[in-house]
Amino acid sequence: AGQVLLVPDDDLTSAPFPADPSDAAVVAAARAARVEWLVTGDRHLLDAQQPASCSVLRVTEALGRATELLAKG
């Protein structure tokens, strides 16, 4: 039922995070998957200045946006 996303090693090194280097893999996966939103509670990702090519949102923000999109039809 799960999905696997393979991320090239080059992508992993292109997203440095001095505050928490382990976040680089998450950002690289989001970039590789071309996601619109990266939903997280991780404060390092939330505080980073444009860490990914997408919006980094808290769960409540994502739910609010999803609700707005559904309301528009």
Side-chain angles (χ1 to χ4, degrees):
Q3 294 182 351
V4 176
L5 173 65
L6 300 177
V7 180
D9 288 341
D10 292 343
D11 288 343
L12 293 176
T13 58
S14 67
F17 277 88
D20 186 355
S22 67
D23 289 340
V26 175
V27 172
R31 286 179 177 170
R34 295 185 177 103
V35 300
E36 290 185 43
W37 302 345
L38 175 57
V39 181
T40 185
D42 185 294
R43 67 178 176 84
H44 295 119
L45 287 173
L46 290 164
D47 293 342
Q49 296 295 319
Q50 296 187 346
S53 55
C54 62
S55 297
V56 180
L57 306 174
R58 289 179 172 80
V59 172
T60 54
E61 294 171 315
L63 288 173
R65 287 192 186 188
T67 301
E68 289 174 13
L69 289 172
L70 290 171
K72 290 179 183 178

